[in-house]
Amino acid sequence: MSLKYNHLVDLNDYPVSWWNSLISLAQDIYSNPTNYSHVCDGKIMATLFYEPSTRTQMSFQTAMIRLGGSIIGFDNPANSSVSKGENLKDTTKIVSNYADILVIRHPMAGTAKASALTADCPIINAGDGGHLHPTQTLTDMFTLMQEKGRLDHLKIGLCGDLMNGRTVHSLCKALSCYEGNEFVFISTNELKMPSYIKDILTAHGCKFTEVFSLDEAISQLDVLYMTRIQRERFNSQEEYLQQKDTYILDTKKMSHAKSDLIVLHPLPRVDEISVDVDSDRRALYFKQAKYGVYIRMALIITMLDNKSKTTLLKGRVHNGLHCDNPKCITSTEKYLPMSFMGDGTTVICEYCDERKLTD
Ligand code: NCD
């Protein structure tokens, strides 16, 4: 279904060679930015942000402007016709006729895929609820290449809200495709990595361990990826408060880490990294945010080329079967075709990856 355009919904829809060529292009743009300043002359990028954002939205906008293109969009759906009740399908249809490329962020899982179904231009997923965040992962991979010189044989600790953090889901899926990577998941019991991500790692033969203590894990790591507790994804303030402040990376903990550890964070930081750590040369999160502009420039150029076409729904449309995940886009946009992967007693929703028993 929808073979008209190439879309970036999930990085794993593309082969590793595609990611690697994006990173090489970003490296060239980083070294020779002026060579690219007119590549997108006359092109328009729309950013539809139904959720707050600083880095993702502004780095996309900066990327397009640095390529010579222009930008339109909203960062608050309350100021658009969404507030009058317009559905995702209609907003996407209209804006994708104004723009050459559309970047979307939304609180519901599966939104980028849902909007790509009706779009008349390529769609880029800039975060769909707690599900995926492929362009943050490209930023993280570009940072790893620049700072570690490789994407394989790394021991990566991921710490914080592993259940709701979309950045860590996309990152693990991508890094599991490179040889010899090992993961240490550092979280409380309540905020563990979802099992569908662990299943992907197992299928790729990647080793992973789950631990509670950051103190115990830190000395073994090549990369420490800190994340904030995702307050907006909790059902109650009480549940959030129970989790808040569990992990704080400070200079004392850093003193146990390897001298060539790098500390990454997609940002925004709340209080999970003490500000004293910022002056440690291993703290690379601000540089990481800057690298995000170059990889997004590479992505915009590549997507506008429109060489490949994306198959959006690969599974089977099951009439009468619904996804049980209340955070799935299909729970609010009722017209969407319900498509599931698998034929057995357990099927997987193609929008949000949630499993469902069929009997
Ligand atoms: C992340 C996001 O929005 O998922 N931020 C980002 O895009 N740089 C991480 C977060 O909000 O915690």
Side-chain angles (χ1 to χ4, degrees):
M1 199 166 183
S2 185
L3 283 171
K4 280 196 289 191
Y5 301 98
N6 54 336
H7 304 287
L8 178 57
V9 172
D10 178 344
L11 267 185
N12 294 65
D13 291 335
Y14 290 89
V16 173
S17 57
W18 188 84
W19 314 343
N20 292 342
S21 55
L22 274 183
I23 292 168
S24 303
L25 180 56
Q27 279 168 330
D28 194 57
I29 299 171
Y30 187 71
S31 312
N32 311 292
T34 49
N35 290 356
Y36 293 86
S37 45
H38 294 288
V39 174
C40 289
D41 280 356
K43 298 285 184 198
I44 295 177
M45 178 184 74
T47 50
L48 300 188
F49 276 60
Y50 292 73
E51 262 195 342
S53 169
T54 302
R55 272 148 295 272
T56 305
Q57 184 182 209
M58 289 195 200
S59 64
F60 261 116
Q61 294 176 339
T62 307
M64 190 49 156
I65 292 167
R66 289 214 184 277
L67 293 168
S70 309
I71 53 170
I72 58 169
F74 60 69
D75 56 13
N76 180 357
N79 296 335
S80 76
S81 287
V82 174
S83 66
K84 300 179 187 170
E86 184 167 70
N87 67 17
L88 180 74
K89 186 175 192 275
D90 295 359
T91 308
T92 305
K93 186 81 190 159
I94 299 303
V95 180
S96 66
N97 277 291
Y98 297 157
D100 299 288
I101 189 158
L102 196 157
V103 181
I104 187 163
R105 167 173 287 192
H106 195 281
M108 304 295 270
T111 299
K113 183 171 282 189
S115 74
L117 289 173
T118 41
D120 287 322
C121 75
I123 297 281
I124 297 177
N125 183 3
D128 59 329
H131 186 218
L132 296 172
H133 195 344
T135 72
Q136 180 62 46
T137 294
L138 287 171
T139 300
D140 303 339
M141 286 165 52
F142 182 43
T143 306
L144 289 173
M145 274 309 283
Q146 295 294 98
E147 301 295 332
K148 282 292 209 189
R150 66 183 196 276
L151 292 168
D152 50 36
H153 297 95
L154 292 167
K155 190 154 184 176
I156 306 135
L158 299 112
C159 177
D161 191 345
L162 306 186
M163 184 172 85
N164 300 301
R166 53 193 171 198
T167 59
V168 291
H169 303 160
S170 286
L171 184 60
C172 288
K173 282 179 68 172
L175 290 182
S176 72
C177 298
Y178 294 87
E179 219 175 291
N181 287 330
E182 201 178 323
F183 300 88
V184 184
F185 298 143
I186 308 153
S187 77
T188 61
N189 239 336
E190 291 77 13
L191 298 181
K192 279 186 165 178
M193 188 60 85
S195 24
Y196 88 90
I197 299 285
K198 292 189 271 190
D199 291 347
I200 292 171
L201 299 190
T202 307
H204 288 184
C206 280
K207 278 198 213 153
F208 66 86
T209 47
E210 296 184 282
V211 301
F212 171 73
S213 164
L214 174 57
D215 289 83
E216 274 171 38
I218 196 163
S219 63
Q220 332 154 21
L221 304 174
D222 301 312
V223 180
L224 174 58
Y225 197 94
M226 294 296 294
T227 62
R228 91 186 149 91
I229 308 298
Q230 307 274 302
R231 183 175 48 186
E232 68 278 25
R233 313 262 180 247
F234 283 77
N235 293 325
S236 71
Q237 175 77 353
E238 210 186 351
E239 282 172 59
Y240 166 69
L241 292 174
Q242 274 166 14
Q243 298 295 327
K244 186 182 169 288
D245 296 338
T246 311
Y247 296 105
I248 299 179
L249 179 66
D250 54 19
T251 48
K252 184 161 178 273
K253 289 193 181 73
M254 286 296 285
S255 71
H256 301 297
K258 287 186 186 173
S259 60
D260 63 348
L261 168 84
I262 62 170
V263 182
L264 303 182
H265 190 311
L267 303 176
R269 153 176 62 188
V270 182
D271 47 16
E272 58 283 349
I273 302 181
S274 140
V275 290
D276 311 346
V277 175
D278 297 355
S279 53
D280 189 307
R281 62 180 166 71
R282 295 168 292 180
L284 286 184
Y285 28 90
F286 296 126
K287 207 167 178 193
Q288 177 188 4
K290 187 173 169 192
Y291 284 137
V293 174
Y294 299 95
I295 195 75
R296 289 186 171 102
M297 288 169 82
L299 180 65
I300 293 168
I301 295 171
T302 306
M303 299 296 287
L304 283 173
D305 230 18
N306 205 24
K307 282 209 182 96
S308 53
K309 309 273 179 268
T310 313
T311 307
L312 289 165
L313 298 179
K314 304 181 190 105
R316 215 154 58 88
V317 173
H318 289 251
N319 290 326
L321 202 61
H322 288 102
C323 177
D324 298 326
N325 178 6
K327 294 177 180 166
C328 176
I329 190 66
T330 58
S331 73
T332 49
E333 306 281 327
K334 303 281 188 199
Y335 53 82
L336 288 167
M338 281 312 315
S339 186
F340 294 88
M341 297 296 285
D343 279 321
T345 48
T346 309
V347 291
I348 300 169
C349 171
E350 275 211 75
Y351 296 88
C352 71
D353 284 308
E354 195 80 4
R355 286 161 201 203
K356 181 184 173 79
L357 293 173
T358 50
D359 49 34

